Amino acid sequence: MNQTYTMKEKIKQIFILLIPILITQLGMFSMVFFNTILSGKYHSSDLAGVAIGSSIWNPVFTGLSGILLAVSPIVAQRFGEKKNKDVSSIVVNGIYLSIIIALLVIILGFFLLDPLLNRMNLPVRVQNTAHDYLVGLSYGILPLFIFNVLRSFIYGLGKTRVVMVIMISSLPFNFLLNYLFIYGHWGLPELGGAGAGYATSITYWIIAGITAYIIKRQEPFSAYRVFSNFKEFSVGKCKEILKIGVPMGLSTFFETSMFAVVTILISKFSVTTIAAYQSALNIVSFLYMVPVSISLALTVLVGFEVGAKRYKDAKAYSWLGISLSVIIALFTGLLVVLFRYKVAGFYSNELAVINLTAHFLIYALFFQISDAIQATAQAALRGYKDVNVAFITTLIAYWLICLPVGYLLAHFTSLGAPGYWIGLTSGLLAAGIGLAARLIYIQKRKFVSAELQRTEMFIEG
């Protein structure tokens, strides 16, 4: 990353970081896409089982990964401040935290998974698939969490293409493993939807191993000697990561758990409804990779400029990122609505599932725009290390607006399951408005005053 002076240079800088991140995110999502597509083609009950398993796993993973992704803005600010020694220490302690968190998740899952699934009263085949899918996935938790720390380090230095290459290289292996484990070829057992969990876990080990090797061997990463300094455990550095990461993780958890609860509530409907909802959610989640990628780039750029005390540049990047995200969301949302039946056909061979999926996708346009605003506004705030208000805002928006509105519309009006989509959209829009208002506040009050003080000191000097 370099200092920019014009709007054209800033736009170019955003895209230099954004495009590799987007390809990486699409690559990560492709694993979920392969899981869903191949499970759906195998049987609708397997698709429903993978959907339920994913709805349990995603809030846990994204919430806890949000804690570890705090490494990115911290590294970016240290990099902007040119405090290179601190960078290595932050990464090492991030790895320690990732190992601790992964082990806790595995232990809790061992005791809580069966009771949770039993309480959901699912069809037997759906429950068995969900259980076995999550068991298979558990073997990849440790490398996945470590990988998130390592890629946050790489992103924090602005070298986003490296992770892109790693992810693209892993996708053929992931697709092949999904095919083999789900359908049972080359002497492997036919596991159905559960096989997707094992395939994904093996892929996570491959990705983490390659990333660690590159950081150890390739410049500029090897200069930080991350693995050589592995004995440098610091309670202070862990606290710094947790101070920023816990509110980040909770904000992400509130969003993903909202979707998970909606999936569980929709599981009370028919298997067709579950499969259609999962297919529609899979499509909008795929499109969500664009604002997520912009968000990751935005956090790094804003953090870098704040670390260098260039607050006007940080502000410019913030609103450029939000504007870009909304424009792309508008475009992709319109495309999905126009071609909804063709898109739905990729996910199922059953006409009832295709029709219901297409109906759900009508709401995609407003959903996408709302999601784009909240994701990028929250990312800019993370670059400023302003995370506590975002945590409260998302809690209110998702759990006190989204779920009540969705539940009331789905169960007390003629809308039925589509009422949940309206609830989801309203919650995301409320979050977007609240987070954008907070961003305006800190830019006008906190960082403008800090820049004025800096200017006055320069003049006096």
Side-chain angles (χ1 to χ4, degrees):
M1 292 181 293
N2 300 306
Q3 182 178 0
T4 55
Y5 300 94
T6 66
M7 193 61 67
K8 183 178 179 181
E9 289 177 348
K10 285 179 171 57
I11 293 171
K12 182 180 178 181
Q13 183 80 287
I14 287 177
F15 276 99
I16 288 173
L17 266 69
L18 167 62
I19 292 174
I21 291 175
L22 176 59
I23 295 172
T24 300
Q25 290 299 123
L26 291 174
M28 293 185 72
F29 183 81
S30 293
M31 296 185 192
V32 180
F33 180 78
F34 296 155
N35 292 350
T36 305
I37 288 287
L38 294 174
S39 297
K41 296 296 183 181
Y42 186 82
H43 197 277
S44 60
S45 292
D46 286 76
L47 174 59
V50 171
I52 296 298
S54 297
S55 73
I56 294 171
W57 167 241
N58 285 341
V60 175
F61 163 62
T62 54
L64 295 175
S65 289
I67 298 174
L68 301 174
L69 290 175
V71 169
S72 185
I74 297 172
V75 166
Q77 286 204 11
R78 294 289 199 281
F79 186 50
E81 295 166 347
K82 299 182 180 180
K83 296 180 179 178
N84 294 338
K85 290 184 179 179
D86 280 356
V87 170
S88 175
S89 181
I90 289 293
V91 178
V92 167
N93 285 280
I95 293 172
Y96 276 120
L97 284 175
S98 71
I99 295 171
I100 293 168
I101 292 171
L103 293 176
L104 286 173
V105 171
I106 293 169
I107 293 169
L108 290 173
F110 180 80
F111 291 104
L112 299 178
L113 178 57
D114 283 327
L116 177 60
L117 289 172
N118 290 334
R119 289 180 64 87
M120 294 173 67
N121 296 318
L122 298 166
V124 174
R125 180 167 179 173
V126 173
Q127 179 172 334
N128 289 339
T129 299
H131 176 275
D132 294 344
Y133 170 76
L134 289 170
V135 169
L137 204 60
S138 68
Y139 291 100
I141 291 175
L142 181 61
L144 175 60
F145 281 6
I146 293 174
F147 168 70
N148 273 313
V149 173
L150 298 180
R151 77 174 174 125
S152 294
F153 163 54
I154 293 172
Y155 283 172
L157 299 182
K159 306 295 183 180
T160 56
R161 291 184 183 180
V162 175
V163 183
M164 176 190 73
V165 173
I166 294 170
M167 185 56 59
I168 291 174
S169 302
S170 71
L171 288 181
F173 294 101
N174 181 252
F175 182 83
L176 177 62
L177 290 168
N178 266 284
Y179 180 73
L180 295 177
F181 279 105
I182 291 173
Y183 292 93
H185 295 292
W186 294 5
L188 294 171
E190 184 178 341
L191 300 176
Y198 291 93
T200 303
S201 286
I202 295 171
T203 308
Y204 289 151
W205 280 102
I206 294 171
I207 291 170
I210 294 172
T211 307
Y213 178 83
I214 289 173
I215 288 174
K216 184 174 178 61
R217 296 291 183 182
Q218 184 175 312
E219 290 286 348
F221 316 114
S222 58
Y224 291 89
R225 301 175 60 84
V226 170
F227 301 113
S228 300
N229 299 324
F230 212 70
K231 294 180 180 179
E232 294 184 4
F233 178 79
S234 168
V235 174
K237 290 292 190 298
C238 287
K239 285 182 178 179
E240 182 179 2
I241 295 171
L242 292 173
K243 184 178 178 180
I244 298 172
V246 170
M248 283 176 58
L250 287 173
S251 296
T252 307
F253 174 77
F254 291 144
E255 181 179 0
T256 52
S257 61
M258 171 187 69
F259 285 99
V261 170
V262 170
T263 300
I264 292 169
L265 291 171
I266 282 181
S267 69
K268 305 302 179 183
F269 292 83
S270 65
V271 171
T272 298
T273 303
I274 300 172
Y277 170 77
Q278 177 62 18
S279 298
L281 185 60
N282 197 253
I283 294 164
V284 296
S285 297
F286 183 80
L287 297 176
Y288 181 58
M289 293 302 101
V290 176
V292 163
S293 301
I294 295 172
S295 299
L296 290 169
L298 203 56
T299 296
V300 172
L301 288 168
V302 172
F304 176 70
E305 298 296 349
V306 170
K309 302 188 186 304
R310 295 189 290 263
Y311 302 126
K312 287 184 179 179
D313 291 319
K315 181 179 179 180
Y317 275 125
S318 300
W319 295 104
L320 269 175
I322 292 171
S323 301
L324 178 64
S325 184
V326 170
I327 291 169
I328 295 175
L330 178 61
F331 176 73
T332 55
L334 285 170
L335 285 179
V336 167
V337 172
L338 289 173
F339 299 101
R340 59 188 181 277
Y341 286 99
K342 291 183 179 179
V343 174
F346 285 111
Y347 287 81
S348 180
N349 296 323
E350 300 173 28
L351 184 60
V353 175
I354 292 172
N355 288 334
L356 189 54
T357 301
H359 182 65
F360 285 156
L361 289 175
I362 293 173
Y363 303 94
L365 175 61
F366 303 103
F367 182 94
Q368 285 292 110
I369 294 171
S370 301
D371 218 4
I373 296 170
Q374 69 85 24
T376 45
Q378 188 167 190
L381 289 169
R382 289 172 178 174
Y384 286 102
K385 289 188 179 179
D386 188 89
V387 292
N388 292 320
V389 173
F391 151 66
I392 297 169
T393 301
T394 52
L395 173 61
I396 294 170
Y398 301 149
W399 286 87
L400 300 183
I401 297 176
C402 167
L403 284 176
V405 170
Y407 186 84
L408 289 172
L409 291 175
H411 296 276
F412 295 95
T413 71
S414 59
L415 286 170
Y420 281 113
W421 283 98
I422 298 174
L424 290 169
T425 302
S426 64
L428 292 171
L429 181 59
I433 293 171
L435 293 168
R438 175 62 181 177
L439 182 60
I440 292 170
Y441 171 81
I442 67 162
Q443 287 175 342
K444 283 187 175 180
R445 297 291 181 89
K446 290 188 175 182
F447 286 90
V448 168
S449 60
E451 187 155 29
L452 287 173
Q453 289 176 5
R454 183 177 170 223
T455 303
E456 289 171 0
M457 289 174 65
F458 177 78
I459 292 171
E460 290 174 1

